[in-house]
Amino acid sequence: MREDVENLDIRDVTANWVNAAVLQHQIDERIKALADLSHTPLFFGRLDYLHAPGADKAEGADGERFYIGRRHVHDAEGDPMVIDWRAPVSQPFYRASKKDPMDVGLRRRFGYTGGDLTAYEDEHLSDPSEAAATSKLLQQEIERPRVGPMRDIVATIQPEQDEIVRSGLAGSVCVQGGPGTGKTAVGLHRVAYLLYAHRERLARTGTLVIGPNKSFLHYIEQVLPALGELEVKQATVDDLVGHVEVRGTDDATAAVIKGDARMAEVLRRAVRSHVTLPTEGVVVVRGSRRWRVPAYELETIVGELLDRDIRYGAAREALPQRIAHAVLVQMERSGEAPDDRVQDAVARNTAVKAAVKAIWPPVDPAKLVLRLLTDADFLAVHADGILDEDERKEILWSKPVRSVKSAKWSPADAVLIDEATDLVQRTHSLGHVVLDEAQDLSPMQYRAVGRRCTTGSATVLGDLAQGTTPWATRSWDEALAHLGKGEAVIEELTAGFRVPTDVITYASRLLPHIAPGLTPVASVRENPGFFEVRPTTADEQVVDACEELLRNEGSIGLIAADARIPALTEALTAAGLTYLGPGEETTAETRLTLVPASLAKGLEYDYVVLDEPQAVVDGEPDERTGLRRLYVALTRAVSGLTVTHAAPLPEQLA
């Protein structure tokens, strides 16, 4: 298929060089999408239907066979050989069961080792004499060692996951899922499905995946290209609101206040305060005639624009046209017949421009936020009845700042500037946005993401138990309201495919303290996994634990409190162990990654050494956040976990 595209001759089929360039770009993209992935088989399943799909079953029509794979594959004549996993005819591969065979006589799964077909497994779904059984191939694929970036799960999608993946584009979905339930993979596969089902629409409106940090995005970035989807952009929330350079930080109290949804109303008031009601009329001179729009009429026009509550910038652009229209009405009454060109000319008149500048001056969002954070009186006026005096003092900067460029903006400040920017000029909306690790966002960050999908839909992914910021959301209903997607359906995934039974059972001891009411994850893995709690007296013993686990196949993550990273770096270097940073791709030579606990979220390793749990808890501003950070660190392992500690363990793990 790739060679066919590479051999296309477009010399005689384009009208001009522009068409030729566009067509060549499309061909290049198609070649890129057809890249051969050496260890990725083209098909992983087969469905034998009892009747041809769509045929009248009463007439006894012959059955039909389909091979299911990551991509649509056709032969030289264009006949399909492999059906895309997203096609409707592929759905029974994921949903059919002995109870509901969906007209499937046989479902076959294929097993591969290094790209070679090594096994297959059959289920006769419509045969009452055959008992339902757990798929060994499915279990092996789920438990396969993790080396390198995150991989797709098209061969192992479960019925409850498939339901979310195939939900329509019009509705938003929120997926609450504990560690290892596959929520990130489900979100990415939903994007792939939506691009398949609504390609033209999403090609116009765009799709975006938002992750918590660059390491996480690097880890997941190969999933969609492996499915042939190259057009999906990725970003962090900080990337979205990058109107200014962030060089500062807030303490937890100030960050929580700045991230509170109440700040949206403070900003709205501050923006609208720039409008000044006119005290005198406007006189427009055209030729020998003078036309006067009195102050009371201008006041009515301004009042109407304020009442419409449209964007500040849009109203500012409308004001000169409204004034010009008032002049045209006077012209028509006097017997003239002005047209649109006259109205545009009046709107550009010097007197009209001067009036607009005085009544509705331009607003620079960054300068506005800077004034709010540095001018106590300005903040007090616009936060009156919203923030109390103590809250205002918390967010005011102690030192004066000369300009927007010299200000040391924090991440929370950048979100405020984004809100103010949207109040002035509407933010562009995309067709679909996936928001991962959503539990960590502040209300103002949710609003920033929501602005990017006001006319589109969203897939929100997260786990309330893994909220590790002081402003982490308390409930999905609250979060979705801030996002502007209050109608979203909330789904819960509780079957754990990644974390071994013994590990998730140990980590779940923290749930009553960090997220009471959440259903603990139940591991579906047959392998209970390796689990050990090991007291230590020196950093060298932590390195020993890493060396022991490196004797196994797969990747190793050494996770520690951020403050412990320098000491462990020294110990690893002294022992001659090479290691990577989070997000860097593991290789056969270097399989150990040193991970600060603050960056562990979303990552996974075959084996994990977790150093000093109490230090992880102590590294956060409060105990609940610290215990949540510990819960994240405990649940990064796929095959085994060793917990090393010199200090006593947190009492919640006892």
Side-chain angles (χ1 to χ4, degrees):
M1 286 169 68
R2 189 174 64 253
E3 285 170 4
D4 285 347
V5 180
E6 287 171 342
N7 293 331
L8 285 173
D9 186 350
I10 62 169
R11 285 174 297 183
D12 299 325
V13 297
T14 53
N16 52 50
W17 69 269
V18 176
N19 288 352
V22 170
L23 186 55
Q24 188 58 54
H25 173 72
Q26 290 173 340
I27 288 171
D28 292 342
E29 289 297 299
R30 176 67 174 155
I31 292 168
K32 215 186 291 180
L34 288 169
D36 186 27
L37 304 173
S38 56
H39 294 300
T40 304
L42 284 173
F43 64 92
F44 50 80
R46 188 182 109 189
L47 288 176
D48 290 5
Y49 277 87
L50 297 175
H51 308 88
D56 187 348
K57 293 171 187 173
E59 294 177 7
D62 291 337
E64 202 165 346
R65 174 177 297 170
F66 298 97
Y67 286 87
I68 313 300
R70 284 166 176 74
R71 310 287 307 279
H72 169 83
V73 182
H74 60 245
D75 61 18
E77 281 70 47
D79 293 325
M81 298 176 69
V82 179
I83 304 297
D84 193 300
W85 66 276
R86 297 167 286 189
V89 79
S90 303
Q91 190 171 335
F93 185 78
Y94 303 107
R95 301 265 190 105
S97 64
K98 293 292 289 183
K99 285 183 181 175
D100 181 14
M102 299 176 74
D103 200 43
V104 172
L106 178 139
R107 172 168 56 200
R108 174 170 289 179
R109 299 181 193 273
F110 295 96
Y112 292 85
T113 305
D116 294 329
L117 178 63
T118 53
Y120 69 89
E121 184 180 76
D122 288 348
E123 295 171 89
H124 298 88
L125 297 175
S126 299
D127 183 352
S129 64
E130 186 178 289
T134 305
S135 167
K136 296 289 184 189
L137 284 180
L138 194 62
Q139 202 69 38
Q140 286 169 16
E141 176 63 21
I142 288 170
E143 297 182 10
R144 185 156 58 92
R146 263 78 167 158
V147 177
M150 183 180 179
R151 57 177 184 253
D152 63 69
I153 60 162
V154 286
T156 62
I157 293 172
Q158 300 299 291
E160 66 273 17
Q161 295 174 325
D162 189 65
E163 225 169 285
I164 298 168
V165 166
R166 293 177 196 264
S167 54
L169 178 61
S172 293
V173 179
C174 174
V175 183
Q176 158 63 40
T181 53
K183 58 186 176 296
T184 297
V186 166
L188 294 173
H189 287 67
R190 185 174 185 224
V191 171
Y193 172 77
L194 292 174
L195 284 166
Y196 175 87
H198 307 277
R199 190 165 301 281
E200 285 186 15
R201 179 174 168 186
L202 288 177
R204 290 195 310 273
T205 56
T207 49
L208 175 68
V209 174
I210 302 172
N213 52 55
K214 297 289 185 188
S215 300
F216 177 82
L217 292 177
H218 181 70
Y219 178 62
I220 67 168
E221 68 185 357
Q222 290 306 315
V223 174
L224 289 165
L227 301 171
E229 301 300 346
L230 306 171
E231 299 302 315
V232 181
K233 292 183 172 62
Q234 296 184 346
T236 63
V237 174
D238 291 343
D239 293 333
L240 297 184
V241 299
H243 306 285
V244 291
E245 185 184 355
V246 173
R247 295 183 294 141
T249 54
D250 290 309
D251 63 35
T253 307
V256 168
I257 297 166
K258 288 178 181 179
D260 194 300
R262 293 176 297 162
M263 287 301 297
E265 178 58 23
V266 175
L267 288 164
R268 194 184 78 88
R269 288 182 184 181
V271 168
R272 288 168 69 98
S273 73
H274 288 75
V275 178
T276 306
L277 291 176
T279 54
E280 53 186 52
V282 175
V283 178
V284 176
V285 179
R286 282 186 59 80
S288 61
R289 304 291 302 267
R290 293 163 64 87
W291 308 96
R292 187 172 186 278
V293 181
Y296 72 84
E297 193 170 346
L298 287 177
E299 194 173 324
T300 302
I301 292 171
V302 171
E304 286 173 354
L305 287 172
L306 286 170
D307 290 343
R308 286 177 62 192
D309 205 22
I310 58 177
R311 296 296 191 281
Y312 184 91
R316 188 173 187 276
E317 288 171 9
L319 180 56
Q321 290 290 337
R322 297 290 294 273
I323 295 171
H325 177 71
V327 171
L328 256 66
V329 170
Q330 292 183 33
M331 288 180 174
E332 287 168 349
R333 283 177 186 157
S334 68
E336 293 190 24
D339 57 16
D340 289 348
R341 287 173 298 175
V342 174
Q343 179 165 333
D344 289 340
V346 172
R348 293 194 301 271
N349 182 275
T350 307
V352 174
K353 281 183 175 179
V356 170
K357 190 174 181 181
I359 297 167
W360 213 293
V363 170
D364 181 302
K367 285 181 181 176
L368 175 82
V369 173
L370 185 62
R371 189 178 173 193
L372 276 172
L373 298 176
T374 55
D375 184 336
D377 293 337
F378 188 67
L379 177 62
V381 168
H382 301 300
D384 182 40
I386 300 174
L387 302 180
D388 62 34
E389 190 178 346
D390 290 339
E391 289 174 317
R392 296 199 300 272
K393 282 180 183 173
E394 281 289 345
I395 65 173
L396 272 170
W397 291 356
S398 55
K399 295 178 182 176
V401 178
R402 287 185 192 172
S403 67
V404 167
K405 282 192 175 178
S406 63
K408 287 191 174 179
W409 299 106
S410 70
D413 297 333
V415 179
L416 295 179
I417 294 171
D418 189 69
E419 179 84 27
T421 303
D422 184 68
L423 288 166
V424 174
Q425 192 169 3
R426 185 182 295 278
T427 305
H428 173 68
S429 175
L430 298 161
H432 192 77
V433 168
V434 174
L435 175 60
D436 205 352
E437 301 296 348
Q439 71 281 344
D440 274 338
L441 270 58
S442 70
M444 290 299 283
Q445 286 176 316
Y446 280 119
R447 289 175 63 88
V449 174
R451 285 192 281 279
R452 272 76 187 175
C453 54
T454 47
T455 58
S457 54
T459 301
V460 180
L461 313 164
D463 179 11
L464 295 177
Q466 295 185 60
T468 51
T469 55
W471 49 84
T473 190
R474 296 180 188 84
S475 76
W476 289 123
D477 286 333
E478 187 182 308
L480 292 167
H482 293 311
L483 193 70
K485 302 294 178 189
E487 80 293 343
V489 176
I490 300 174
E491 303 280 0
E492 188 170 7
L493 296 175
T494 56
F497 303 99
R498 172 168 57 78
V499 187
T501 304
D502 290 356
V503 175
I504 197 66
T505 302
Y506 184 69
S508 293
R509 293 180 185 182
L510 298 175
L511 280 181
H513 308 280
I514 59 176
L518 270 194
T519 307
V521 171
S523 178
V524 298
R525 296 166 67 101
E526 291 184 348
N527 179 0
F530 168 79
F531 174 64
E532 179 189 12
V533 178
R534 183 185 296 185
T536 59
T537 54
D539 292 342
E540 288 73 23
Q541 291 172 290
V542 180
V543 175
D544 291 343
C546 294
E547 288 178 323
E548 287 172 28
L549 292 177
L550 281 166
R551 294 174 197 147
N552 300 313
E553 184 187 359
S555 56
I556 315 295
L558 170 54
I559 303 177
D562 293 32
R564 291 273 298 143
I565 294 299
L568 293 174
T569 298
E570 204 174 300
L572 290 170
T573 305
L577 273 183
T578 57
Y579 60 89
L580 303 164
E584 293 179 10
E585 198 168 318
T586 52
T587 63
E589 295 75 36
T590 308
R591 296 182 288 121
L592 175 64
T593 304
L594 178 59
V595 188
S598 61
L599 296 179
K601 190 168 295 179
L603 305 178
E604 57 183 33
Y605 302 92
D606 284 293
Y607 293 90
V608 166
V609 176
L610 174 59
D611 169 74
E612 292 297 353
Q614 189 60 55
V616 174
V617 177
D618 293 342
E620 299 300 327
D622 60 83
E623 187 181 59
R624 190 188 76 155
T625 304
L627 290 172
R628 286 181 165 188
R629 182 76 71 192
L630 178 57
Y631 182 73
V632 171
L634 283 167
T635 53
R636 300 303 96 201
V638 174
S639 299
L641 170 68
T642 299
V643 177
T644 60
H645 67 102
L649 292 170
E651 60 179 341
Q652 292 84 354
L653 285 177

